[in-house]
Every structure is written in structure tokens, then in C-alpha cells.
Amino acid sequence: MSIVWCKIPKAGLGNQLFPLLHAAVFAHLNNLPLYITGYHQLKIGPYVRREKVKRNYAGYFNFQKNIISERIQYLWLKSRCRFLNVVHEPDLKTISNSLKNHVYIFSKLPSSKYYFEKLKPHRTLVKQLLTDMIQPEYLQLLDQIQPPVVGLHIRMGDFRKLNPGEEYNGGHVRMPETFYTEIVTGIRKINPNTPVSVFTDGYKKEFEYLFQIADVEMVNGYPDIIDLLLLSKSKVIVGTYGSTFSYWASFLSDDIVITHRFQKHASLRPEEMKAEVYEGPFDETNTLLLESIRKINTVSE
């Protein structure tokens, strides 16, 4: 019998979700057992850099076992690879009977230009499989939190600061704070009463201007998986270019997604959504974006 093996990479939550959900979709389409290893990780970097977020994801998912049980499972899976044919990163489709008795391994990140290309046709299934993996207590906590109206995700942590006089050109560099303040100002011109929630791994003291704007508040105290899902429920998402945490929240979102003009990769969601749900740079002349922001109900439900 064939099996599916997902090897979680040593990375942040957004990057880990790629092989995890590719593997889960493939296993579901083919009714195959899914085994997951590599989730016991100690990340030193966040402590060395004194980051606010330590990127410890223990206990988020119902497939996680203790470190000994996970190690035993890993060794068993390694042994299976000796007796079964191994296929790395297969396409997300139903396999024929001639491809049975294989180990299908998912461990890599997709190309940055096409992060969600294989997942887009299965977006509804991806959302359901992710929900099914998350421990019930986290989902219960999520249900108790009021979703944001405008959610800003600002990646700082391991992204370096812009040097004095340096022009922002993307990469693992912190986006200029003015990118966010200008979008907040632009949204408020269209719908003046929109509150803003900031999701960040930085500290409030690292910002000069953003929190001087009225009704802009930092979201604190939640596990990373809650932050990602809560951000995805925002009526408007403004993410960080280059952050897969932002990209996953956007992919899961059914509402407005505002990206940076440098964003070169393909759309984050299926093409057929574009006619009804805006995704792209902030454009005050775009009718769909303007009308969508005007219709936002800023009163807590």
C-alpha cells in the first residue's frame, strides 16, 4: 500500500504549511494515509535576535506526537522507503493503480513565483484540511475573537532594516513604514471609520508613525496559528512582500487583499475570484477596490 510522507522543513509557519498542505491534499485525493515528521524544532535565531515571536509551533496540530513517538515514526518511514518506490513532490491529482506501492514525499517549498499554483484548484479543500488539522482549543479561541476590519501584517524579526538612504527593492528587507501609513490614510479617505489591527513580530517601539494614527492597535498575545487565521478573516489584508505568513493569510481570505507593487509572483488566489474580490496594489482608481472599501461595515457585529 502506498503512503504519503510530509517532512516539515525547519522554517517559519508559512513555509511549513506549503509541504504540509500539498501532502494533505494529495493524500485526500488518493485516500492514502498521511504521515508527518519534523515538527519538533528548536529555533535559536529568534532568541539570539530577541524577537518577540519565538516560532514555536508545538501543540498547534492534532497530528503532533511527543518527540520519542515522532522519532520512532520517522525511522519506520525511512525503512518503508527501502521497500517501496519513492516519488518526490508529485502533482496534486488522483494517481492510477500502476503507481501504487509508493512513498510519496513532500518536503520542499514551491517556487516563490508560483507558491499556490498547485493548491489554487483545491482552495476549498485546503481550507477544510487545515481546519481539521488544528487542535480544537485553538479553533474555539478563534471563534471568540472579533475579526479585524483592516489587518496589517508587518514582518520585521529576521528581515533586516533598510540602510539610511537605501531604496526598498524587496527581498528579506523590512518594508518602509510609510507603505502602511499611506495605505491606512488612503483607506480612511474612502471609509473614514475603519479600525486597523497590526499583526507583527516587531515591538511597538520600533515604529515611528503608524501608532500615532488614531484607532491603529497592535494585536498581541495569541499563538502564531491564531494570528494567521485571524488575519485571514480581515475585511482588508495588507501584507508584507516576501512573507509567506502574509501570503497564506491572503490565500485563505475571501476578502480584499492589498499587495506591494513589487509583488512579481502570480496571484495568491484562483483567477476566477478576481472579478468579485480585489487583490493587488492599492489603487484609488480601481472601481472594485473603491466600492468594496465603501461597503465595509466598521461596526462590531
Side-chain angles (χ1 to χ4, degrees), residues 100-128:
K100 299 291 184 179
N101 299 317
H102 285 63
V103 179
Y104 295 96
I105 297 179
F106 292 84
S107 61
K108 296 180 180 179
L109 299 181
S111 163
S112 60
K113 289 186 178 180
Y114 305 101
Y115 274 132
F116 294 96
E117 288 308 290
K118 290 184 178 181
L119 294 176
K120 284 179 187 178
H122 310 284
R123 181 172 172 271
T124 300
L125 176 60
V126 170
K127 294 173 75 170
Q128 185 58 57

Side-chain angles (χ1 to χ4, degrees), residues 4-255:
V4 181
W5 182 7
C6 174
K7 299 180 180 180
I8 299 290
K10 190 168 185 179
L13 181 61
N15 284 341
Q16 290 186 357
L17 289 178
F18 283 112
L20 178 59
L21 270 304
H22 280 81
V25 168
F26 183 83
H28 179 87
L29 293 177
N30 292 286
N31 195 28
L32 294 175
L34 171 61
Y35 299 93
I36 303 162
T37 61
Y39 44 80
H40 285 288
Q41 300 180 5
L42 176 62
K43 300 181 179 72
I44 302 297
Y47 293 92
V48 173
R49 293 186 294 268
R50 298 183 181 180
E51 294 178 23
K52 184 175 71 173
V53 177
K54 300 301 186 285
R55 305 185 194 184
N56 178 11
Y57 313 130
Y60 286 3
F61 301 102
N62 51 32
F63 57 75
Q64 292 175 325
K65 307 175 185 296
N66 64 52
I67 194 167
I68 296 175
S69 297
E70 191 233 356
R71 183 61 180 172
I72 292 171
Q73 186 172 84
Y74 172 82
L75 294 173
W76 177 79
L77 289 164
K78 286 280 286 184
S79 71
R80 298 302 298 157
C81 290
R82 298 174 186 171
F83 303 104
L84 301 177
N85 296 309
V86 176
V87 177
H88 292 274
E89 316 297 331
D91 289 335
L92 303 187
K93 61 183 181 181
T94 304
I95 56 177
S96 65
N97 289 333
S98 62
L99 295 177
K100 299 291 184 179
N101 299 317
H102 285 63
V103 179
Y104 295 96
I105 297 179
F106 292 84
S107 61
K108 296 180 180 179
L109 299 181
S111 163
S112 60
K113 289 186 178 180
Y114 305 101
Y115 274 132
F116 294 96
E117 288 308 290
K118 290 184 178 181
L119 294 176
K120 284 179 187 178
H122 310 284
R123 181 172 172 271
T124 300
L125 176 60
V126 170
K127 294 173 75 170
Q128 185 58 57
L129 292 173
L130 178 59
T131 299
D132 292 345
M133 288 180 178
I134 297 171
Q135 292 284 15
E137 57 262 35
Y138 289 101
L139 299 176
Q140 292 166 9
L141 173 59
L142 182 67
D143 287 341
Q144 297 169 11
I145 306 170
Q146 182 70 31
V149 178
V150 176
L152 309 185
H153 176 241
I154 306 177
R155 176 75 171 268
M156 298 179 81
D158 57 345
F159 279 27
R160 71 168 178 82
K161 296 180 181 179
L162 276 171
N163 296 316
E166 180 184 3
E167 183 178 350
Y168 179 75
N169 287 308
H172 286 74
V173 182
R174 296 182 184 182
M175 289 173 59
E177 191 176 347
T178 52
F179 168 77
Y180 298 98
T181 57
E182 288 171 1
I183 289 179
V184 171
T185 301
I187 290 173
R188 296 263 176 91
K189 286 180 181 177
I190 304 166
N191 191 333
N193 299 314
T194 47
V196 175
S197 302
V198 178
F199 297 78
T200 182
D201 56 354
Y203 295 93
K204 204 168 186 177
K205 63 183 180 182
E206 296 179 86
F207 295 86
E208 287 187 66
Y209 311 110
L210 187 59
F211 292 100
Q212 295 180 18
I213 302 173
D215 211 4
V216 175
E217 300 295 336
M218 184 178 286
V219 178
N220 280 314
Y222 299 123
D224 288 0
I225 191 65
I226 295 292
D227 278 350
L228 189 151
L229 296 176
L230 189 59
L231 178 63
S232 77
K233 294 179 178 295
S234 304
K235 295 175 182 177
V236 181
I237 294 177
V238 184
T240 294
Y241 174 55
S243 169
T244 54
F245 190 98
S246 287
Y247 296 166
W248 266 101
S250 301
F251 175 76
L252 298 172
S253 170
D254 295 320
D255 289 298

